[in-house]
Amino acid sequence: QVQLVESGGGSVQAGGSLRLSCAASGLSFSTHAMGWFRQAPRKEREFVAAVSRSGKNIYYGDSMEGRFTISRDNATNTVYLQMNSLKPDDTAVYYCAAEFVWGDYVGTTSRSYDDWGQGTQVTVFS
């Protein structure tokens, strides 16, 4: 059974930083691309960042590039999202997702992903 467990969410003042972690189990981590998505109240789920199975291919959502950094550790089956210069608009539930892939492909839409975590709340106050 695949489990993706997010941690590291919380409340932070605008301009601050948070580091999210997602621990994966029940899957062959090195054969999965990993992504982060977020969903704010009354909004659709939004792509945040994704990393290919090798870690070489990385993509970010439009408003995240330059502020967020995704990384993965295939030795510990963990993917991270470092978030800097946080804004109130970043307030959302952040979800980790896994996508089985052939090669070093990485998806940037939620429908590409097979397994999801339960989410972690990030609140940025001004």
Side-chain angles (χ1 to χ4, degrees), residues 22-39:
C22 172
S25 61
L27 77 168
S28 178
F29 189 72
S30 63
T31 63
H32 285 71
M34 300 298 296
W36 287 96
F37 292 79
R38 69 185 185 186
Q39 189 163 18

Side-chain angles (χ1 to χ4, degrees), residues 3 19-20 23 26 46-47 50 58 73 77 79 99 118 123 126:
Q3 282 195 312
R19 189 191 196 206
L20 305 184
E46 179 183 20
F47 171 70
I58 290 176
D73 185 341
N77 291 2
V79 61
E99 174 192 17
Q118 81 289 349
T123 302
S126 55

Side-chain angles (χ1 to χ4, degrees), residues 5 15 33 42 62 75 80 82-83 97 99 104 125:
V5 180
R42 299 174 299 280
D62 290 341
Y80 303 97
Q82 177 67 43
M83 305 186 293
E99 174 192 17
D104 223 23
F125 56 91

Side-chain angles (χ1 to χ4, degrees), residues 60-88:
Y60 294 99
D62 290 341
S63 64
M64 295 79 174
E65 191 149 15
R67 300 189 298 125
F68 292 7
T69 303
I70 188 171
S71 61
R72 65 187 292 159
D73 185 341
N74 286 353
T76 61
N77 291 2
T78 306
V79 61
Y80 303 97
L81 184 69
Q82 177 67 43
M83 305 186 293
N84 299 328
S85 302
L86 283 162
K87 307 172 183 179

Side-chain angles (χ1 to χ4, degrees), residues 1 4-5 7 11 13 18 21 29 34 38 43 46 51 62 72 90 92 97 101 108-110 115-116 120-121:
Q1 180 182 359
L4 302 175
V5 180
S7 60
S11 295
Q13 192 168 21
L18 284 174
S21 300
F29 189 72
M34 300 298 296
R38 69 185 185 186
K43 291 188 177 181
E46 179 183 20
V51 58
D62 290 341
R72 65 187 292 159
D90 294 318
V101 292
T108 59
T109 61
S110 58
D115 298 290
W116 294 82
T120 186
Q121 176 70 46

Side-chain angles (χ1 to χ4, degrees), residues 30-33 52-53 57 99-106:
S30 63
T31 63
H32 285 71
S52 65
R53 53 195 257 179
N57 296 320
E99 174 192 17
F100 175 77
V101 292
W102 296 101
D104 223 23
Y105 169 81
V106 55

